[in-house]
Amino acid sequence: MKLTVQEIAQAVGSNQDGLTEITGVEFDSRKIEKGHLFVPLKGARDGHDFIQQAIANGAVATFWSLDPAKAPTEIPVIFVADPLKAMQALATYYLKKTGAEVVAITGSNGKTTTKDLTASVLAQKYRTYKTQGNYNNNIGLPYTILHMPADTEKIVLEMGMDHAKEITELSLIAQPKVAAITMIGEAHIENLGSREGIAKAKMEIVDGLVTDGCLIIPEAEPLLKPLTANLTQSIVTFGLNSGDLVAKVTEESKTATHFRVDKESFIIPLPGKYNVTNALIAYAVGQFFGLSTQEIRLGLANVSMTQNRTEWLSAGNGAAILSDVYNANPTAMGLVLDMFANLEVKGRRMAVLADMLELGPDALQMHAQMAEHLHPADYAVVFLYGPQMKALKERLSIEYPDLKVKYFEKEKEQLIATIKAELQPEDSIVLKGSNGMDLWAVVQELQKMK
């Protein structure tokens, strides 16, 4: 980034003369380096309180929304009504200045995997940047934009949400050229009321979609189609059975999935048919931006995945761990359990399932329905963790009384100790639950076990 103080002030609707060059933007004063603009956001603490630390670390300018008399005098100050809104406006300006085109991705599951696959495909032809980690909200998205290199040609942005109108805000900031929805599940149904409410919230991604842009959606999701009736942008549908892009899975293993599209063969280094639908979005984006089939093939095959999503690890005793502990909803949990059940493994299959949060009044029923994916022929032992998982425990005791089920309401240490006592070197175990249940701590303990 290379913007002057005056240019930034104009971009956010303020006034400040000066040709001081800004080379980066940070809202954490500890990350400030020489040449940076400081953005004092209000959180548990007011960022304005840390202005002196920011200056000491090298800040050469700052946004400021408090009493002008209290503003620092050592560096140029850009007065704004709201530092967050100013950062968002600056992000939009920076996109326009660089000319980088945006691919926006949302959905109840698979956002990060799809982002990684799409960025890998586009990188075969264009200078590409993508959301880092889970920076996908109204702070993280503009932050990501403002950290992309100035020569970026395509940027792939993940858009997350908990409530209605959040994706509208993100889409208007980014003004995507391409928007994609991975799937409609039950995530955040507590806040949105129904799957219909979730579908409408995800469709907010088109609110900033440019007029000559493209929307990519799953063919098998009937809730989305009525919401596209008035769109003038092009629409591409995808699926495993029908759609504009259809994939046929030809081979599955623990570490890769092979599939065909229009007689062409592809491979992704990921398990599960559901990841093929994520790959179809990347394929569609590649086609939209003019990539060849070979470029798309290389991008899919050589993807570098964000950590802490679906990931194969090893327990300390050699057992195989499939860690998918970043988040969970019933659709996603069912897909992972079905995929894991179909994998060829040496020893026994086990599952560790934790509560799925923010599911609303039907949460217990949704947890109990996971019994449909836990057949005794596929799973030798099932570990359940969290108060809502009691509903699944009760359902399993009725439907599969011979299935070995171990339930822990709050006792994480006991859960870990019990898994360690049960898990043998030749076994394979999958872990899935909402991020708030902190199953990652369980994964770490299993990696240390002897």
Side-chain angles (χ1 to χ4, degrees), residues 25 27 39 41 63 83-91 139 142-143 146:
V25 175
F27 57 82
V39 181
L41 299 181
F63 288 150
L84 176 56
K85 293 296 183 185
M87 184 170 76
Q88 294 170 345
L90 182 60
I139 296 174
Y143 182 86
L146 292 168

Side-chain angles (χ1 to χ4, degrees), residues 58-92:
V60 294
T62 187
F63 288 150
W64 193 265
S65 62
L66 301 183
D67 182 354
K70 297 180 180 179
T73 57
E74 304 97 313
I75 58 174
V77 174
I78 300 170
F79 294 101
V80 296
D82 183 337
L84 176 56
K85 293 296 183 185
M87 184 170 76
Q88 294 170 345
L90 182 60
T92 301

Side-chain angles (χ1 to χ4, degrees), residues 43 201 214 233 237:
C214 174
Q233 295 93 338
T237 61

Side-chain angles (χ1 to χ4, degrees), residues 90-137:
L90 182 60
T92 301
Y93 171 82
Y94 188 53
L95 280 173
K96 291 179 179 178
K97 181 181 176 74
T98 62
E101 292 184 306
V102 173
V103 177
I105 296 170
T106 194
S108 298
N109 192 56
K111 293 186 294 294
T112 301
T113 299
T114 304
K115 171 201 70 180
D116 291 337
L117 288 164
T118 301
S120 183
V121 166
L122 290 174
Q124 304 305 309
K125 185 173 183 177
Y126 300 103
R127 289 184 291 277
T128 303
Y129 192 68
K130 66 179 181 180
T131 299
Q132 306 297 300
N134 64 340
Y135 275 44
N136 61 11
N137 63 8

Side-chain angles (χ1 to χ4, degrees), residues 93-409:
Y93 171 82
Y94 188 53
L95 280 173
K96 291 179 179 178
K97 181 181 176 74
T98 62
E101 292 184 306
V102 173
V103 177
I105 296 170
T106 194
S108 298
N109 192 56
K111 293 186 294 294
T112 301
T113 299
T114 304
K115 171 201 70 180
D116 291 337
L117 288 164
T118 301
S120 183
V121 166
L122 290 174
Q124 304 305 309
K125 185 173 183 177
Y126 300 103
R127 289 184 291 277
T128 303
Y129 192 68
K130 66 179 181 180
T131 299
Q132 306 297 300
N134 64 340
Y135 275 44
N136 61 11
N137 63 8
N138 64 343
I139 296 174
L141 181 134
Y143 182 86
T144 297
I145 293 169
L146 292 168
H147 279 71
M148 73 177 183
D151 64 351
T152 299
E153 296 174 294
K154 312 294 179 191
I155 180 169
V156 185
L157 296 174
E158 184 179 328
M159 295 186 176
M161 63 95 193
D162 298 318
H163 296 81
K165 300 304 177 184
E166 288 181 318
I167 292 182
T168 290
E169 180 181 25
L170 302 181
S171 185
L172 292 174
I173 293 168
Q175 299 174 17
K177 182 78 170 184
V178 178
I181 299 174
T182 61
M183 62 171 286
I184 303 300
E186 303 84 3
H188 312 301
I189 199 169
E190 183 176 47
N191 301 325
L192 295 160
S194 64
R195 290 188 75 252
E196 289 81 1
I198 294 169
K200 289 179 181 178
K202 299 301 183 185
M203 273 296 293
E204 292 172 12
I205 200 168
V206 304
D207 289 351
L209 187 63
V210 298
T211 55
D212 60 344
C214 174
L215 173 67
I216 304 168
I217 58 174
E219 171 70 23
E221 183 45 77
L223 293 176
L224 289 175
K225 290 183 180 179
L227 303 177
T228 66
N230 297 322
L231 286 185
T232 57
Q233 295 93 338
S234 62
I235 301 173
V236 175
T237 61
F238 64 89
L240 296 181
N241 298 304
S242 60
D244 299 319
L245 286 175
V246 179
K248 178 178 176 58
V249 177
T250 57
E251 184 181 343
E252 295 181 74
S253 72
K254 288 174 61 175
T255 56
T257 306
H258 301 251
F259 63 97
R260 296 181 69 85
V261 179
D262 296 331
K263 300 181 180 181
E264 295 284 350
S265 297
F266 300 87
I267 182 173
I268 51 174
L270 301 165
K273 291 181 180 179
Y274 59 91
N275 277 319
V276 173
T277 60
N278 297 331
L280 283 175
I281 292 176
Y283 183 105
V285 173
Q287 280 196 325
F288 182 85
F289 286 115
L291 273 73
S292 67
T293 299
Q294 179 62 7
E295 287 170 329
I296 295 172
R297 181 181 291 113
L298 288 171
L300 293 176
N302 295 291
V303 62
S304 176
M305 300 302 299
T306 299
Q307 287 186 326
N308 296 342
R309 300 311 197 270
T310 308
E311 183 178 21
W312 282 103
L313 302 168
S314 293
N317 69 347
I321 299 172
L322 182 60
S323 172
D324 195 350
V325 299
Y326 182 74
N327 227 328
N329 60 65
T331 299
M333 185 173 283
L335 288 170
V336 169
L337 289 171
D338 291 346
M339 176 273 294
F340 196 74
N342 289 320
L343 292 179
E344 291 187 14
V345 296
K346 291 181 180 179
R348 301 171 298 170
R349 290 189 196 87
M350 301 180 186
V352 182
L353 306 178
D355 282 359
M356 299 174 283
L357 307 178
E358 298 184 10
L359 294 182
D362 297 326
L364 295 181
Q365 179 185 350
M366 291 180 184
H367 281 75
Q369 287 173 345
M370 290 301 101
E372 300 170 9
H373 308 277
L374 290 166
H375 301 288
D378 299 322
Y379 288 93
V381 188
V382 176
F383 302 89
L384 303 177
Y385 174 59
Q388 296 184 81
M389 275 296 167
K390 187 176 182 180
L392 177 55
K393 170 186 174 289
E394 293 171 351
R395 176 71 66 85
L396 289 171
S397 68
I398 296 171
E399 295 193 13
Y400 304 121
D402 296 331
L403 178 62
K404 194 172 184 179
V405 178
K406 297 179 180 291
Y407 172 67
F408 303 85
E409 182 176 357

Side-chain angles (χ1 to χ4, degrees), residues 325-327 352 354-355 357 385 412-413 415-416 431-445:
V325 299
Y326 182 74
N327 227 328
V352 182
D355 282 359
L357 307 178
Y385 174 59
K412 185 177 291 182
E413 294 304 318
L415 167 68
I416 293 169
L431 296 93
K432 182 73 173 173
S434 283
N435 194 35
M437 298 303 293
D438 193 28
L439 279 187
W440 180 240
V442 179
V443 173
Q444 289 178 314
E445 288 301 315

